[in-house]
């Protein structure tokens, strides 16, 4: 009994100091282990909400993928509002799937683009859902090919290409001859058929309601344009 009392009796000063140091080291080690476990077993993903601010120097013109070839400011904005069938990955330097997966056949002359499910235009609502369909893809590219389309540089990229709707989610592009860089043409943002179909190609630059308040299907929705005293 005396030995037990001695073992569990009051600690000497130096024993108290050692015990305190041990407890502090134990606590620090536990925190470091928990932090390491969290980092190795957690994946950081973006969430909805927040604010994205991007500055560009230049003049805002028509915010439409059809008319951004010569305007860097518009290209920056439309790349956020609109999505294409394909996209350029600056980290890999490759063209990758975006809104659609691509199957190539016919000696690299036939491209079948199949839209992913769950794609909607920004003006969709619970009561009136507006999914992105093959009609939108067909409209975007066939409009470019029509006589009177006011962007000859973009029109040249799709000259001689047959475009056909295969199903509600699949569009086929048939080239006259193989073209290695054709996928880069499919990075063009898709435009909504239901908002622009009644406008003649030559009148598209005058569609100010859409060109300055665009409706896309990209990662960011266009809210409004505010002109300030600093605007020129």
């Amino acid at each position: 009994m005396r030995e037990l009392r001695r073992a569990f009796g009051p600690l000497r000063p130096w024993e108290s100091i050692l015990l305190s140091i041990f407890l502090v080291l134990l606590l620090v080690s536990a925190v470091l282990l928990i932090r390491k476990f969290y980092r190795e077993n957690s994946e950081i993903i973006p969430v909805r909400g927040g604010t994205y601010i991007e500055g560009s120097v230049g003049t805002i013109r028509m915010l439409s993928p059809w008319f951004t070839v010569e305007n860097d400011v518009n290209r920056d904005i439309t790349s956020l509002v609109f999505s294409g069938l394909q996209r350029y990955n600056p980290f890999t330097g490759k063209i990758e799937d975006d809104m659609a997966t691509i199957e190539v056949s016919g000696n690299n002359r036939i491209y079948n683009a199949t839209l992913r499910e769950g794609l909607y235009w920004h003006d969709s609502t619970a009561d009136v859902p507006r999914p992105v369909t093959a009609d939108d893809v067909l409209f975007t590219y066939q409009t470019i090919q029509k006589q009177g389309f006011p962007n000859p540089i973009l029109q040249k990229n799709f000259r001689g290409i047959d475009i056909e709707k295969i199903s509600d989610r699949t569009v086929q592009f048939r080239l006259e001859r193989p073209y290695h860089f054709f996928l880069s043409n499919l990075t063009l943002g898709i435009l909504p058929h239901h908002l622009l179909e009644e406008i003649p190609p030559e009148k598209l630059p005058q569609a100010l309601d859409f060109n300055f308040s665009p409706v896309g299907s990209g990662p960011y929705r266009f809210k409004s344009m505010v002109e300030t005293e600093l605007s020129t």
Side-chain angles (χ1 to χ4, degrees):
M1 293 296 294
R2 291 180 179 178
E3 295 296 330
L4 289 175
R5 290 176 181 174
R6 184 178 301 173
F8 294 97
L11 296 176
R12 297 184 179 89
W14 64 270
E15 290 176 333
S16 299
I17 295 174
L18 289 178
L19 181 60
S20 299
I21 295 175
F22 173 77
L23 292 175
V24 170
L25 292 175
L26 182 62
L27 179 61
V28 171
S29 300
V31 171
L32 293 176
L33 287 174
I34 293 173
R35 184 179 181 184
K36 181 180 179 182
F37 177 83
Y38 174 80
R39 286 184 173 181
E40 294 179 350
N41 295 275
S42 299
E43 180 180 0
I44 299 177
I45 59 175
V47 297
R48 290 187 177 275
T51 302
Y52 176 87
I53 299 176
E54 178 173 333
S56 297
V57 179
T59 302
I60 293 180
R61 298 175 183 173
M62 293 172 288
L63 298 175
S64 167
W66 282 325
F67 307 111
T68 60
V69 176
E70 299 178 351
N71 191 315
D72 291 338
V73 176
N74 284 30
R75 186 181 296 111
D76 291 342
I77 297 174
T78 54
S79 66
L80 299 175
V81 177
F82 296 91
S83 291
L85 301 178
Q86 300 283 279
R87 64 183 173 188
Y88 173 73
N89 187 330
F91 299 103
T92 63
K94 297 180 180 180
I95 302 296
E96 301 175 351
D97 291 343
D98 191 358
M99 295 177 68
T101 57
I102 305 293
E103 293 183 1
V104 184
S105 60
N107 295 323
N108 294 321
R109 293 190 307 107
I110 299 176
Y111 292 74
N112 287 330
T114 302
L115 292 169
R116 293 187 289 106
E117 296 183 357
L119 299 172
Y120 290 89
W121 294 107
H122 293 158
D123 60 350
S124 294
T125 64
D127 295 331
V128 185
R130 300 189 186 277
V132 180
T133 68
D135 290 329
D136 297 303
V137 178
L138 202 67
F139 167 74
T140 298
Y141 291 105
Q142 286 187 340
T143 297
I144 296 171
Q145 296 178 317
K146 291 181 178 179
Q147 185 176 0
F149 182 75
N151 188 339
I153 297 177
L154 185 59
Q155 192 175 53
K156 183 179 179 181
N157 292 337
F158 295 94
R159 188 173 299 162
I161 297 176
D162 293 326
I163 310 173
E164 180 183 359
K165 175 182 174 181
I166 304 300
S167 70
D168 288 341
R169 292 175 48 229
T170 302
V171 172
Q172 185 177 91
F173 299 84
R174 295 188 297 273
L175 283 61
E176 294 179 347
R177 61 182 62 88
Y179 178 50
H180 180 71
F181 298 102
F182 178 69
L183 283 179
S184 63
N185 292 341
L186 300 184
T187 61
L188 178 74
I190 302 301
L191 290 106
H193 171 259
H194 67 281
L195 292 178
L196 299 169
E197 61 178 324
E198 297 182 359
I199 302 176
E202 63 274 13
K203 298 293 185 180
L204 288 171
Q206 302 172 26
L208 301 183
D209 288 344
F210 182 87
N211 291 331
F212 290 97
S213 185
V215 175
S217 60
Y220 290 88
R221 183 194 307 264
F222 186 88
K223 183 178 181 180
S224 63
M225 181 184 298
V226 179
E227 185 174 356
T228 67
E229 294 180 358
L230 297 178
S231 301
T232 57

